[in-house]
C-alpha cells in the first residue's frame, strides 16, 4: 500500500500542524451517540453481527478522508496512506483478556465481512495480544466496550505525542425515545485533525448507517 509523503513546506496545514505538534502538543476526543435503529433491525434479520458491521463502517469513512490516514512512517516521514485497514480488539471471557486482530479492508461489505469471519475463525481463540502476525503499517485501532453505555471516553497515550492516527471505541447500545443508539468515541491528534474534521467524520458515519441499503446487501 502506497504511503504518500506530505510536502510540509507547501502544505496549507503547516502552521496548525507545527503548533499542535511542537508548541502545544495536543490530542483530544469526542463521544457521540450514533443511531443504529434500522441498521440493527436489518442485520438481525440477516443474522449478521453488529461489531464487524461497525468496523466496516468506520474503516469506510476513514478511507474517505486523508486526515484520518495521516501519520509518520517508520523513518519519521510525514504522509498518508492510500488506504487503511482496521485493527480491532476481541474479548476472551475465559481469562478476561483481549486480542487485537486485523482484517484487510475491502470496499465490499460482504467480502470484508467474510474476511472478518475467517480471521475470527483462524485467530479468535488464540489468547495472545496479537495472534494474527504480519500486521501491516497501514492499520488503525478500534476497540469495543460492550458492557456500558458511556457518555464520554478518553485515552491517554503516553509516548512522544506523535501518534497521529485516530482511535475508535464503541460502547453498549441503548434505547431512547423508541430509537437505538450506540456511543462512539473518536480520539485524534489536533496536529492533523480539527473539530470540523471529527464532526464531519461522525456525521458521515451516521449517514452511512442511515443509508445501509446501499451497501449492506452488496456482493
Amino acid at each position: 500500500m502506497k504511503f504518500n509523503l506530505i510536502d510540509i513546506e507547501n502544505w496549507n496545514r503547516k502552521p496548525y500542524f507545527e503548533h499542535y505538534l511542537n508548541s502545544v502538543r495536543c490530542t483530544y476526543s469526542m463521544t457521540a451517540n450514533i443511531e443504529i435503529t434500522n441498521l440493527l433491525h436489518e442485520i438481525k434479520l440477516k443474522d449478521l453481527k453488529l461489531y464487524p458491521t461497525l468496523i466496516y463502517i468506520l474503516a469506510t469513512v476513514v478511507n474517505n478522508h486523508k486526515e484520518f490516514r495521516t501519520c509518520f512512517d517508520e523513518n519519521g516521514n510525514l504522509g498518508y496512506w492510500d488506504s487503511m485497514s482496521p485493527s480491532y480488539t476481541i474479548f476472551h471471557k475465559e481469562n478476561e483478556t483481549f486480542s487485537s486482530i486485523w482484517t484487510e479492508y475491502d470496499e465490499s461489505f460482504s467480502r470484508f465481512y467474510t474476511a472478518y469471519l475467517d480471521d475470527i475463525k483462524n485467530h479468535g481463540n488464540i489468547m495472545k495480544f496479537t495472534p494474527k502476525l504480519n500486521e501491516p503499517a497501514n492499520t488503525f485501532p478500534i476497540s469495543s466496550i460492550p458492557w456500558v453505555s458511556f457518555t464520554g471516553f478518553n485515552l491517554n497515550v503516553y509516548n512522544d505525542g506523535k501518534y497521529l492516527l485516530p482511535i475508535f471505541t464503541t460502547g453498549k447500545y441503548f434505547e431512547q425515545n423508541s430509537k437505538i443508539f450506540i456511543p462512539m468515541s473518536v480520539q485524534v491528534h489536533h496536529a492533523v485533525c480539527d473539530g470540523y474534521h471529527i464532526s464531519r467524520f461522525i456525521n458521515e458515519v451516521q449517514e452511512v448507517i442511515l443509508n445501509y441499503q446501499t451497501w449492506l446487501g452488496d456482493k
Side-chain angles (χ1 to χ4, degrees), residues 6-111:
I6 292 176
D7 179 4
I8 298 178
E9 293 305 315
N10 295 303
W11 190 27
N12 66 342
R13 191 169 177 81
K14 178 185 176 182
Y16 310 95
F17 175 78
E18 292 182 340
H19 178 75
Y20 289 116
L21 187 72
N22 301 320
S23 299
V24 183
R25 193 162 293 178
C26 175
T27 64
Y28 67 99
S29 60
M30 182 181 292
T31 301
N33 291 327
I34 307 297
E35 189 200 339
I36 59 169
T37 311
N38 293 333
L39 174 66
L40 184 63
H41 175 74
E42 189 66 20
I43 63 173
K44 285 184 176 180
L45 288 178
K46 295 180 179 294
D47 197 27
L48 299 172
K49 299 178 183 297
L50 178 61
Y51 189 37
T53 303
L54 292 174
I55 292 172
Y56 168 82
I57 293 167
L58 290 172
T60 296
V61 183
V62 163
N63 283 305
N64 285 345
H65 303 287
K66 67 180 181 181
E67 63 267 11
F68 289 91
R69 293 179 274 117
T70 300
C71 61
F72 293 104
D73 68 7
E74 58 184 5
N75 298 315
N77 300 308
L78 181 69
Y80 61 93
W81 293 102
D82 275 348
S83 177
M84 298 200 75
S85 296
S87 176
Y88 48 90
T89 59
I90 59 168
F91 183 66
H92 301 299
K93 293 181 180 179
E94 298 84 351
N95 61 0
E96 298 181 351
T97 63
F98 68 91
S99 295
S100 181
I101 298 176
W102 61 276
T103 297
E104 185 175 356
Y105 175 70
D106 195 302
E107 291 183 356
S108 164
F109 170 73
S110 60
R111 290 197 297 266

Side-chain angles (χ1 to χ4, degrees), residues 113-125:
Y113 191 88
T114 298
Y116 168 91
L117 293 180
D118 288 342
D119 284 329
I120 295 298
K121 179 181 178 181
N122 295 328
H123 308 287
N125 293 322

Side-chain angles (χ1 to χ4, degrees), residues 137-207:
N138 62 319
T139 60
F140 67 93
I142 299 173
S143 62
S144 174
I145 306 177
W147 308 280
V148 62
S149 301
F150 54 77
T151 57
F153 186 85
N154 184 61
L155 286 168
N156 301 290
V157 181
Y158 293 101
N159 58 5
D160 59 1
K162 293 185 177 181
Y163 185 84
L164 304 182
L165 292 175
I167 304 175
F168 301 95
T169 308
T170 60
K172 179 182 179 180
Y173 64 79
F174 62 95
E175 183 175 350
Q176 186 177 71
N177 298 326
S178 300
K179 295 182 178 180
I180 306 297
F181 297 87
I182 190 167
M184 181 187 72
S185 175
V186 187
Q187 182 97 6
V188 295
H189 201 298
H190 210 341
V192 295
C193 185
D194 299 328
Y196 169 80
H197 304 105
I198 196 172
S199 299
R200 180 176 62 185
F201 185 95
I202 291 172
N203 290 335
E204 194 167 319
V205 166
Q206 183 67 84
E207 183 179 353

